[in-house]
Amino acid sequence: MITDKKRFELLHTERLLLRRPTVEDANAIFSSYPTQKEVTKYLLFPPHESIQDTLNFIQWSDEQWEKKGGYNFILCSNADEGRVIGGVGLSLEGLDDEHESEETKLPADVARVSYYIVKDQWRKGYATEACKKMIELAIEVGITKLVAPVHPDNLASIRVLEKCGFQEDALVREMLVLPNLRKENLVGFGRSLSLSDPPPTLTWED
């Protein structure tokens, strides 16, 4: 695994700037995706009700970057003066965590990918673009497999995963649990990674 993560704190795609969030971003983040119930409905966290919730998220993100090995980014639009329009990240499982159990723990070379886009920017392909970048990052840092638990009603997210080369994986369904949804309500997706197998060429229709 990569231990020097500083060089990954700022990444670029064709239309997005991905960067590690800081406390200076709290107001921009709070006024974006985490307060929208439509966005957070299927995610790992409830809607933020106060700026303190967002500050707590940034603190958690810092812990992931510094201690846990995770990579969490806010998504900023190149076309809209750097406006925060979402987030994306890799969460590394298989590390000690007070909230983990043997049931939910994954091997150390496996990561969960997540992405979320503010509602007024849906259907523009930003989630696909961000997910593709996470595949590239995962390969570079030595991740061998990406997984994603998805609610079956979240068809847009399922389409993003399928476009990025993910397939249904029953084992993932058993390994990951969303806090606000029962395990049996999830569909697991996974994608094995190889240095000799670059990410697919993607388009931005969705």
Side-chain angles (χ1 to χ4, degrees):
M1 290 292 176
I2 298 293
T3 56
D4 180 14
K5 300 167 65 178
K6 192 73 175 178
R7 60 193 176 98
F8 300 120
E9 292 183 0
L10 188 65
L11 303 176
H12 297 269
T13 68
E14 180 180 343
R15 300 178 298 166
L16 296 170
L17 172 69
L18 291 69
R19 62 181 177 83
R20 174 179 174 175
T22 68
V23 292
E24 288 76 16
D25 298 311
N27 287 327
I29 295 173
F30 180 70
S31 62
S32 180
Y33 61 89
T35 56
Q36 297 182 345
K37 293 183 177 180
E38 300 94 335
V39 175
T40 60
K41 181 177 181 180
Y42 300 121
L43 298 182
L44 286 166
F45 57 85
H48 290 191
E49 297 181 355
S50 70
I51 194 69
Q52 186 59 50
D53 291 336
T54 305
L55 290 170
N56 292 341
F57 159 73
I58 294 172
Q59 180 180 0
W60 170 85
S61 175
D62 285 340
E63 292 172 355
Q64 291 288 307
W65 276 96
E66 300 296 337
K67 301 177 183 178
K68 301 292 183 67
Y71 301 81
N72 299 286
F73 304 89
I74 53 174
L75 300 176
C76 302
S77 170
N78 291 336
D80 194 6
E81 298 182 344
R83 174 195 173 197
V84 176
I85 63 168
V88 69
L90 298 179
S91 178
L92 303 191
E93 305 289 345
L95 302 174
D96 290 337
D97 190 301
E98 62 179 337
H99 301 298
E100 283 187 338
S101 67
E102 290 303 316
E103 180 183 19
T104 61
K105 192 175 293 186
L106 293 177
D109 58 350
V110 175
R112 184 183 68 243
V113 63
S114 58
Y115 43 82
Y116 23 91
I117 306 295
V118 69
K119 187 177 180 180
D120 67 4
Q121 297 298 309
W122 286 359
R123 299 183 180 89
K124 296 183 180 181
Y126 288 124
T128 303
E129 191 169 340
C131 187
K132 176 186 176 183
K133 195 65 179 179
M134 291 300 96
I135 295 173
E136 295 174 355
L137 174 60
I139 291 173
E140 186 166 357
V141 301
I143 298 298
T144 63
K145 184 175 182 179
L146 288 176
V147 298
V150 188
H151 193 281
D153 292 343
N154 194 354
L155 299 180
S157 185
I158 290 174
R159 184 162 183 249
V160 168
L161 292 170
E162 290 175 340
K163 291 185 67 177
C164 291
F166 286 72
Q167 297 179 335
E168 282 197 45
D169 187 330
L171 185 59
V172 174
R173 176 178 172 176
E174 295 301 317
M175 295 163 96
L176 294 171
V177 180
L178 294 178
N180 298 317
L181 296 171
R182 296 185 304 174
K183 181 173 59 179
E184 55 265 37
N185 286 338
L186 301 182
V187 177
F189 281 79
R191 174 181 167 153
S192 296
L193 303 176
S194 169
L195 291 174
S196 61
D197 181 23
T201 300
L202 304 176
T203 56
W204 319 128
E205 293 98 7
D206 69 341

